[in-house]
Amino acid sequence: MKIKEVMMMNNDSLDNQMDLSIELIKQSKKIYIGSHIQPDGDNIGSILALGLALKKIEKEVFIVKTDEIPSDYTFLPNIDMIKDYDEKDNIIDLFIALDASDLDRLGSKKTMVLKANKVLNIDHHKSNTYFGDVNVVSENSSATGELVYRLIEKMGIELDKDIAACIYTAISTDTGSFMYDSTTYETHEIVAKLLKTGIDKNNININLYQNRSLERTKLFIKALDGLETCFDNKVAIVKVTQELLKESKAKMEDTEGIVSFIRDIAPVEVACLLKEFEKNQIKISVRSKRYIDVSQICEKFNGGGHKRAAGCTIYEDVEKAKELILEEIKESFR
C-alpha cells in the first residue's frame, strides 16, 4: 500500500476528504473498523459510534478487537460488537482505522489493513503518517470522536442515544472532561447536540470518573508514595512497576488518572508516568499544563501525541528510562 504524501488539512481539504470517505463507504459492503492497541475512551467510543452508524445504512460491519478492553468502558452500549476476527476467512472491502497515527499502532491487526481493498484513516494526531487511501486527519480536532461525529452528520445518519453516548465518551475522555486546551467552541457545539438526544450524561460520568475500584485506589496510593519532583518542582514523576501492580492486585489499566493527578500539583508544569510493562519495556505518559509541548519530547523516542498529552516507549529498565526522559524534559525548559 502506498503511503500518501503528508499534508496539513485546512477546512476545505478536510471536507473534501470527508466526501471521499463517504464515497468509499458507499462503495463498500464488508467494512472492518479498528483502532490502536492499549485502547482508551476516544478509541473505543469512536469505533463503536461509527460501527453503529454504518449498521444503520445496512453495511456489514466488523469492529475489530486489537487489545483487551479496559473495564472503564465496558458499560458502553453494544460493547460486545468489538470482537476478535480472523482476517484469513474474510474479504475486507474497506478497513477504517480510527485514532491510530500509524499502522504499527494497530498491533497484530496491521495485517488486516494491508489486506484490505481500501483503507480509510481517521485521526487527530499530528504525528499521523497518512497511511490510508483516504486520510481524514485533523490535529485541530480535540478527539477522533469529533471527526466521527462530523462524518456521521455529513452522511445524514440520524444520531441515537447509543451513538451519542459513545461519541460523548470519546470526546470527554480525550479532552480531560473538556478541560484541555484542545477543547474548542466546536467541541461544545457537538456535545450540545449529543446531549439533545437524551443521553444519560450523569451515568456516563459516574462510570468514567467516579467508579474507581479498590485495587486501583491502592495502586494510586502506593504509586503516589513514590512521587518525585525535580527542576524546582516543575516536573513530577511517578513509576508503576510490575511489583507495585502485584502488591496492589491491580492491572496496568488501573494507572489511568495518575499522570493527570500529579500534573495538577500547583508548581508542576510537566507530569510523567513510567509504566513497566516488561523489564526493558517502559511505556511513558507525559502531560503538561501551560507551555511545554510534550509531543516534541516524546517524538525523540519515536512516540507522539499532542502538545499537552503525549506518550512513548523506551526499551530500557525503568531507572534508565527515567533518566532518559528527564534529560529530554530538562531540555524543553531551556
Side-chain angles (χ1 to χ4, degrees):
M1 183 185 306
K2 187 176 180 180
I3 294 179
K4 304 298 180 183
E5 182 179 357
V6 176
M7 60 182 180
M8 292 297 293
M9 286 196 172
N10 55 32
N11 286 335
D12 289 339
S13 59
L14 185 60
D15 284 339
N16 180 55
Q17 295 300 303
M18 286 276 187
D19 290 337
L20 292 173
S21 300
I22 293 169
E23 285 305 308
L24 268 187
I25 291 167
K26 286 180 178 178
Q27 294 164 13
S28 304
K29 184 180 180 183
K30 290 190 173 183
I31 300 175
Y32 284 68
I33 302 172
S35 190
H36 59 78
I37 55 175
Q38 297 171 39
D40 56 19
D42 193 17
N43 169 323
I44 295 169
S46 293
I47 60 177
L48 281 174
L50 187 56
L52 290 168
L54 296 185
K55 285 191 75 172
K56 281 193 164 191
I57 56 172
E58 301 182 346
K59 296 296 180 181
E60 286 188 56
V61 178
F62 307 88
I63 304 182
V64 178
K65 182 180 179 181
T66 53
D67 212 338
E68 291 304 311
I69 299 168
S71 58
D72 295 19
Y73 309 112
T74 54
F75 76 94
L76 284 170
N78 299 281
I79 191 74
D80 57 352
M81 283 180 66
I82 304 174
K83 297 178 181 178
D84 224 342
Y85 292 101
D86 186 351
E87 67 272 18
K88 295 177 183 176
D89 301 328
N90 294 286
I91 295 170
I92 303 175
D93 295 325
L94 175 64
F95 192 103
I96 304 178
L98 294 174
D99 202 42
S101 56
D102 59 65
L103 283 175
D104 289 335
R105 289 286 284 146
L106 289 152
S108 63
K109 303 308 177 185
K110 174 181 176 179
T111 55
M112 297 182 85
V113 182
L114 297 173
K115 180 186 175 182
N117 293 330
K118 294 290 182 181
V119 176
L120 171 55
N121 166 30
I122 302 176
D123 186 33
H124 72 128
H125 296 98
K126 70 177 184 178
S127 55
N128 193 281
T129 58
Y130 290 70
F131 56 84
D133 295 289
V134 175
N135 300 283
V136 179
V137 179
S138 170
E139 66 174 272
N140 295 322
S141 297
S142 71
T144 296
E146 276 196 25
L147 295 169
V148 168
Y149 171 86
R150 291 181 63 178
L151 181 62
I152 292 171
E153 183 181 53
K154 202 172 181 67
M155 293 180 72
I157 299 172
E158 186 178 356
L159 283 179
D160 58 32
K161 287 184 182 180
D162 285 355
I163 295 172
C166 292
I167 297 176
Y168 181 93
T169 296
I171 297 174
S172 177
T173 53
D174 233 39
T175 59
S177 303
F178 313 105
M179 289 192 297
Y180 295 167
D181 62 5
S182 59
T183 307
T184 65
Y185 77 91
E186 291 175 326
T187 306
H188 288 293
E189 286 180 341
I190 290 170
V191 170
K193 292 174 184 177
L194 299 175
L195 294 176
K196 283 183 72 174
T197 67
I199 59 173
D200 190 341
K201 172 173 62 72
N202 187 52
N203 180 61
I204 294 170
N205 288 331
I206 287 173
N207 275 284
L208 291 176
Y209 307 117
Q210 300 169 22
N211 200 29
R212 187 184 297 118
S213 69
L214 283 173
E215 292 78 13
R216 180 174 291 191
T217 303
K218 289 176 182 177
L219 178 65
F220 198 92
I221 293 167
K222 286 178 180 291
L224 289 179
D225 192 45
L227 172 71
E228 300 174 57
T229 60
C230 50
F231 311 139
D232 295 324
N233 295 323
K234 291 178 182 177
V235 177
I237 191 162
V238 162
K239 297 173 289 187
V240 173
T241 62
Q242 287 297 316
E243 182 180 358
L244 205 59
L245 290 177
K246 289 177 184 176
E247 288 176 5
S248 309
K249 297 181 180 178
K251 300 177 182 178
M252 194 60 81
E253 68 182 65
D254 292 317
T255 59
E256 184 69 30
I258 293 176
V259 69
S260 296
F261 184 88
I262 62 174
R263 178 207 55 209
D264 296 347
I265 298 169
V268 171
E269 169 60 22
V270 177
C272 186
L273 173 64
L274 281 72
K275 297 173 284 188
E276 183 188 50
F277 276 75
E278 296 178 12
K279 184 177 180 181
N280 290 310
Q281 183 186 13
I282 312 301
K283 294 188 183 295
I284 301 177
S285 299
V286 192
R287 301 288 184 270
S288 66
K289 192 178 293 178
R290 295 184 178 88
Y291 54 88
I292 297 296
D293 185 344
V294 293
S295 68
Q296 292 183 358
I297 294 169
C298 291
E299 282 170 5
K300 300 290 179 65
F301 303 99
N302 298 313
H306 309 285
K307 286 184 178 180
R308 301 289 174 260
C312 61
T313 302
I314 296 180
Y315 295 95
E316 299 282 357
D317 65 53
V318 68
E319 291 302 326
K320 182 63 176 179
K322 184 182 83 169
E323 178 186 328
L324 292 171
I325 195 71
L326 283 177
E327 284 177 7
E328 289 301 328
I329 292 172
K330 184 178 181 180
E331 286 297 317
S332 70
F333 281 98
R334 292 181 176 173

